[in-house]
Amino acid sequence: MVKICCIGAGYVGGPTMAVIAIKCPAIEVVVVDISKPRIDAWNSDTLPIYEPGLDDVVKACRGKNLFFSTDVEKHVAEADIIFVSVNTPTKTRGLGAGKAADLTYWESAARMIADVSKSDKIVVEKSTVPVKTAEAIEKILTHNSKGINYQILSNQEFLAEGTAIDDLFKPDRVLIGGRETPEGRKAVEALKSVYAHWVPEENIITTNLWSAELSKLAANAFLAQRISSVNAMSALCEATGANVSEVSYAIGKDSRIGPKFLNASVGFGGSCFQKDILNLVYICECNGLPEVANYWKQVIKINDYQKSRFVNRVVSSMFNTVSGKKIAVLGFAFKKDTGDTRETPAIDVCKGLLGDKAQVSIYDPQVTEDQIQRDLAMNKFDWDHPMHLQPTSPTAVKQVSVVWDAYEATKGAHAVCILTEWNEFKSLDYKKIFDNMQKPAFVFDGRNVVDAEKLREIGFIVYSIGKPLDGWLKDMPAVA
Ligand code: NAD
Ligand code: UDX
């Protein structure tokens, strides 16, 4: 029986290994992590992450050929294939701070593999890493090898949160990069045979190591660039009276552009886009390509602009002050169908409103009060370090309340800001909400989920990203 061990039981390690286990009953899969609370949660009825369909997959194979453990060294020593899916955050200090990927966790995992291994291993990069990381890892392993043969593969993961299980069951492609040597090719074939249990062969792409590593950064940069492009258009639409949904539909009909990933929003979030683009920018700078670096940097700048533009719109519409006013925030996760808040635009929007002394009342169906308070108290880039994965109680931000109901959040509020596109926000009783709010009552829809015309009929003043402004908003000073 082939044995797989995955180091890192997070958003990637957990779901990817659960899917390998269910699709390959003859393979034993063990997911290990240094965080005991995380492993305990994986072994409980309440998994540590919310992901549609994940519970069923885990329950079908946990205890059979899928295991979660904190005994990292034992399972690494026993494995034939080791996936490394630890976090690779942005460096917060030292050389490359604020841009470069922090490989501390990756390096310590590699050193541990070298320490405990007694047999040949295939080591698979699942974490998103800078180009040429495989070479560095190879050096760590081979310098400590004790005669053991290590083959390093890059198998970058393209799943998106909220649709992870579907993405893993039917990936657009699986990408495997390896050394172009007989041993390297053999290792690629071994990993390919795992995915071949359910992925059609033509969807399994093999490349050299560096192409595989760079393809991941490139894919995320291209995806994020589409959102920044449509968000930049949304600002122009508001200024001219065009409608960004109509523009997106019209351009998406061009088969060269395609219809997906063209939804204007309050900004993109998530643990990957910003981190990976900053990493790409840093690599370009290190390779003497400042023009290329600046090109990609602009994707992040537009995203920051979109978030601050939203806050400015809220404040300027409400007589240029939200001081002491109750603002209801519906949705805190970075997208629907996840409880993940990493780099969610809600953090910057809430901080902006709090900076103007608003009282913020937040409701999200999947995010806890503790998580929201921690996010609002944390410094930029600190979220991706394991100490923040531990349940500590931050000092609560006093102007913030977190409630478990959209009606409670909006009661007595001056304005509602919709920051995540949860389906339930489409079907709320907005008449009831309006009746319980201060007047004039505002809705700022950062995800274009509500029917603005219907809400205007009720009496709301409505702002929708990239849509023609209603009379009230037009009369207010322009926002920068
Ligand atoms: P995560 O923070 O959810 O999980 C990482 C886990 O690794 C944590 O539980 C942490 O405790 C554990 N860990 C860190 N060092 C360890 C060590 N030495 N030994 C054992 N466990 C250790 O992160 P994630 O979202 O799963 O992302 C993991 C990697 O995958 C990152 O490089 C990320 O960029 C990449 N990625 C993420 C996504 C996504 O949607 N989240 C998608 C594709 C790729
Ligand atoms: C992303 C990539 O899609 C995935 O391939 C990679 O493996 C990890 O990073 P993820 O961050 O989980 O996945 O979600 P994604 O669906 O890409 O959304 C990212 C952000 O962009 C979210 O905040 C989402 O709301 C926003 N978004 C997405 C838009 O604002 N408009 C869109 O049209 C699409």
Side-chain angles (χ1 to χ4, degrees), residues 7 10-12 33 38 87-88 127-128 157 161 275 342:
I7 306 176
Y11 285 87
V12 169
D33 203 292
R38 264 213 165 169
N87 34 327
T88 47
S127 302
T128 306
E157 184 49 60
E161 288 175 33
K275 166 174 81 77
R342 295 179 290 178

Side-chain angles (χ1 to χ4, degrees), residues 75-367:
H75 294 291
V76 165
E78 289 173 359
D80 306 294
I81 303 177
I82 303 165
F83 285 84
V84 184
S85 186
V86 300
N87 34 327
T88 47
T90 306
K91 276 185 88 171
T92 49
R93 50 181 71 87
L95 188 66
K99 275 185 276 195
D102 184 345
L103 294 179
T104 312
Y105 308 110
W106 225 119
E107 187 179 334
S108 83
R111 287 185 187 281
M112 184 268 300
I113 295 171
D115 282 349
V116 305
S117 293
K118 293 188 185 69
S119 55
D120 292 352
K121 310 278 180 212
I122 296 175
V123 178
V124 185
E125 287 179 343
K126 246 315 170 203
S127 302
T128 306
V129 289
V131 187
K132 297 265 172 184
T133 299
E135 200 167 75
I137 298 305
E138 208 170 49
K139 280 191 185 130
I140 293 173
L141 292 172
T142 46
H143 278 278
N144 298 282
S145 82
K146 301 171 279 190
I148 293 166
N149 182 273
Y150 293 101
Q151 282 303 317
I152 320 293
L153 301 179
S154 168
N155 174 220
Q156 303 288 298
E157 184 49 60
F158 294 99
L159 67 80
E161 288 175 33
T163 54
I165 296 300
D166 282 350
D167 294 344
L168 288 164
F169 277 170
K170 283 197 206 121
D172 287 347
R173 79 306 208 181
V174 166
L175 178 59
I176 304 175
R179 283 272 182 210
E180 288 155 314
T181 58
E183 298 79 20
R185 281 190 209 105
K186 205 170 144 209
V188 169
E189 284 309 313
L191 184 57
K192 216 174 150 181
S193 71
V194 172
Y195 284 106
H197 282 83
W198 77 100
V199 181
E201 183 151 6
E202 61 273 20
N203 289 357
I204 306 178
I205 306 170
T206 57
T207 64
N208 75 28
L209 274 170
W210 327 131
S211 302
E213 289 178 336
L214 185 56
S215 297
K216 174 66 192 176
L217 298 182
N220 275 351
F222 272 60
L223 289 167
Q225 183 221 42
R226 267 173 90 91
I227 304 169
S228 279
S229 296
V230 79
N231 282 344
M233 281 300 160
S234 76
L236 187 57
C237 287
E238 287 165 32
T240 57
N243 179 330
V244 76
S245 300
E246 292 174 356
V247 173
S248 290
Y249 183 74
I251 62 172
K253 278 285 176 189
D254 185 324
S255 60
R256 293 167 302 175
I257 296 175
K260 293 184 184 167
F261 249 69
L262 286 177
N263 294 323
S265 67
V266 59
F268 61 72
S271 63
C272 294
F273 282 173
Q274 172 167 286
K275 166 174 81 77
D276 294 349
I277 293 176
L278 289 171
N279 186 352
L280 184 68
V281 165
Y282 185 69
I283 294 170
C284 293
E285 286 171 352
C286 291
N287 281 284
L289 300 168
E291 288 81 4
V292 185
N294 285 336
Y295 174 77
W296 289 112
K297 222 184 268 176
Q298 206 56 32
V299 173
I300 308 249
K301 282 193 182 161
I302 287 287
N303 198 46
D304 288 339
Y305 167 73
Q306 188 76 346
K307 290 181 274 187
S308 65
R309 204 169 74 76
F310 186 87
V311 174
N312 291 350
R313 180 68 80 186
V314 175
V315 178
S316 68
S317 308
M318 299 173 72
F319 315 103
N320 237 2
T321 176
V322 288
S323 179
K325 292 177 187 168
K326 177 174 173 181
I327 311 284
V329 166
L330 300 188
F332 198 82
F334 82 97
K335 64 187 281 197
K336 74 171 179 178
D337 293 336
T338 179
D340 193 353
T341 60
R342 295 179 290 178
E343 286 295 339
T344 174
I347 295 176
D348 286 342
V349 170
C350 287
K351 282 186 174 173
L353 296 171
L354 293 167
D356 220 287
K357 297 204 173 81
Q359 298 287 331
V360 179
S361 181
I362 304 171
Y363 164 67
D364 186 290
Q366 285 297 334
V367 186

